[in-house]
């Protein structure tokens, strides 16, 4: 794909980051639902799959797993807000980082096109 | 389903929970002349709504009456007391309701935070290259 040559892995990474944002948001949304099992995807493995040519949706469902809670609660819910909040924040920062890489690429290409 | 749906629906579920807590607290300590008519605390039942790709939000499946029993109290001066001089107080555990309220507020706040973060990330993405 032409876009891959320009953006490298960052395009796919951004997509995976945004998918993961949804998964972590789901966990936080279900913090009080009895029997809800917190889920997350294995980002490293998903990224590996994307680099080998799978699409992000496929990589996401393939690497999806359940979180092992540090302290299981009585109602069967495995969401631990401290864990989820931390990962959510981390994922948001990584999204921003990927975004600035992309932005850098876009800026240098537009500069090149303008002949600056 | 996107992040806005997920957190938005979770927020409205928490809001339903806040409403039940409010009505429970409002009815706490009200007296009745029989056990049958006494108010019993309302509790929402949360249910996960799953999507195939691993995303999930939460909805209030139903609101049920809790099994907190009304308390019988001897109060012969109360005009609605029964023949033996007893009244029934609404089955509401006020301490538990207050704790529930704090938890609800906290979880609502968490979802607001998720929305804010997602919003700013998406806006950053929209503005990319400008």
């Amino acid at each position: 794909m032409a876009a891959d040559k320009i953006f490298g892995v960052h395009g796919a990474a951004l997509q995976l980051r945004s998918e993961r944002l949804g998964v972590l948001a789901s966990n936080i949304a279900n913090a009080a639902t009895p029997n809800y099992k917190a889920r997350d995807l294995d980002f490293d493995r998903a990224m590996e799959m994307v680099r080998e040519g799978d699409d992000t949706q496929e990589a996401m469902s393939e690497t999806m797993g359940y979180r092992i809670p540090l302290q299981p609660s009585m109602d069967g819910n495995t969401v631990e807000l401290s864990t989820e909040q931390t990962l959510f924040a981390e994922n948001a920062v990584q999204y921003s980082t990927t975004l600035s890489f992309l932005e850098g690429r876009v800026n240098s290409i537009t500069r090149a096109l303008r002949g600056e | 389903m996107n992040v806005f749906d997920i957190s938005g629906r979770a927020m409205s579920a928490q809001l339903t929970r806040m409403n039940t807590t409010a009505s429970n607290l409002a009815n706490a300590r009200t007296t009745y002349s029989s056990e049958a008519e006494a108010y019993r605390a309302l509790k929402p039942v949360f249910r996960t709504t799953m999507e195939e790709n691993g995303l999930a939000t939460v909805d209030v499946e139903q609101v049920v009456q809790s099994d907190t029993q009304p308390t019988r109290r001897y109060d012969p001066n109360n005009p609605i007391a029964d023949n033996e001089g007893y009244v029934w107080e609404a089955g509401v555990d006020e301490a538990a309701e207050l704790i529930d309220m704090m938890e609800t507020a906290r979880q609502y706040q968490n979802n607001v935070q998720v929305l804010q973060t997602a919003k700013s990330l998406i806006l950053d993405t929209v503005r990319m290259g400008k």
Side-chain angles (χ1 to χ4, degrees), chain B residues 2-106:
Chain B
N2 60 32
V3 183
F4 295 101
D5 299 324
I6 295 167
S7 304
R9 274 162 76 174
M11 277 157 69
S12 72
Q14 296 296 344
L15 218 53
T16 307
R17 191 176 170 200
M18 189 64 99
N19 282 331
T20 58
T21 306
S23 71
N24 293 344
L25 285 173
N27 283 286
R29 306 272 167 129
T30 42
T31 50
Y32 304 86
S33 46
S34 75
E35 187 180 6
E37 60 180 315
Y39 180 91
R40 276 151 220 256
L42 297 173
K43 296 281 166 202
V45 178
F46 282 6
R47 171 78 157 270
T48 306
T49 308
M50 285 286 240
E51 224 171 56
E52 280 166 27
N53 53 7
L55 299 183
T57 186
V58 64
D59 289 304
V60 175
E61 191 181 34
Q62 55 175 329
V63 176
V64 295
Q65 272 194 338
S66 81
D67 47 15
T68 314
Q69 293 305 312
T71 42
R72 196 177 181 221
R73 193 161 53 82
Y74 186 61
D75 186 7
N77 294 325
N78 194 319
I80 60 160
D82 63 12
N83 301 335
E84 295 162 51
Y86 284 96
V87 289
W88 296 88
E89 259 178 15
V92 175
D93 182 344
E94 285 171 87
E97 294 299 334
L98 286 172
I99 291 168
D100 224 40
M101 186 180 79
M102 282 161 68
E103 199 193 337
T104 309
R106 200 57 231 272

Side-chain angles (χ1 to χ4, degrees), chain A residues 23-43:
Chain A
V23 177
L24 296 173
S26 304
N27 293 344
I28 293 172
N30 280 284
T33 321
N35 288 317
Y36 177 81
K37 308 290 180 218
R39 304 176 80 182
D40 199 358
L41 53 95
D42 184 339
F43 187 84

Side-chain angles (χ1 to χ4, degrees), chain A residues 14 21-23 25-26 28-33 36 39 57 60 64 81 85 88 92 95-96 99 102-103 106-107, chain B residues 3 6-7 10 14 17 46-48 50 53-58 107 110-111 114 117-118 121 124-125 127-129:
Chain A
L14 196 71
L21 208 67
V23 177
S26 304
I28 293 172
N30 280 284
T33 321
Y36 177 81
R39 304 176 80 182
Q57 281 292 329
M60 183 181 151
M64 191 74 83
L81 273 173
Q85 299 271 47
F88 187 86
Y95 184 99
S96 289
L99 203 58
L102 282 171
E103 200 150 21
V106 172
N107 284 342
Chain B
V3 183
I6 295 167
S7 304
Q14 296 296 344
R17 191 176 170 200
F46 282 6
R47 171 78 157 270
T48 306
M50 285 286 240
N53 53 7
L55 299 183
T57 186
V58 64
Q107 267 156 11
N110 284 334
N111 283 296
V114 168
T117 307
L121 288 179
D124 286 349
T125 315
R127 281 195 288 262
M128 182 171 61

Side-chain angles (χ1 to χ4, degrees), chain A residues 15-106:
Chain A
Q15 236 179 315
L16 267 181
R17 286 285 173 217
S18 98
E19 300 283 4
R20 190 167 181 227
L21 208 67
V23 177
L24 296 173
S26 304
N27 293 344
I28 293 172
N30 280 284
T33 321
N35 288 317
Y36 177 81
K37 308 290 180 218
R39 304 176 80 182
D40 199 358
L41 53 95
D42 184 339
F43 187 84
D44 294 351
R45 225 154 56 76
M47 204 57 223
E48 197 70 50
M49 283 181 68
V50 171
R51 295 182 74 167
E52 282 163 10
D54 289 306
D55 67 51
T56 45
Q57 281 292 329
E58 202 177 307
M60 183 181 151
S61 56
E62 195 85 356
T63 62
M64 191 74 83
Y66 291 95
R67 178 105 58 236
I68 296 161
L70 297 168
Q71 249 166 358
S73 69
M74 295 274 280
D75 64 358
N77 183 304
T78 64
V79 178
E80 284 168 326
L81 273 173
S82 50
T83 311
E84 303 303 329
Q85 299 271 47
T86 316
L87 291 174
F88 187 86
E90 194 185 354
N91 192 66
V93 170
Q94 284 160 335
Y95 184 99
S96 289
T97 312
T98 301
L99 203 58
S100 50
F101 281 131
L102 282 171
E103 200 150 21
R105 293 295 294 159
V106 172

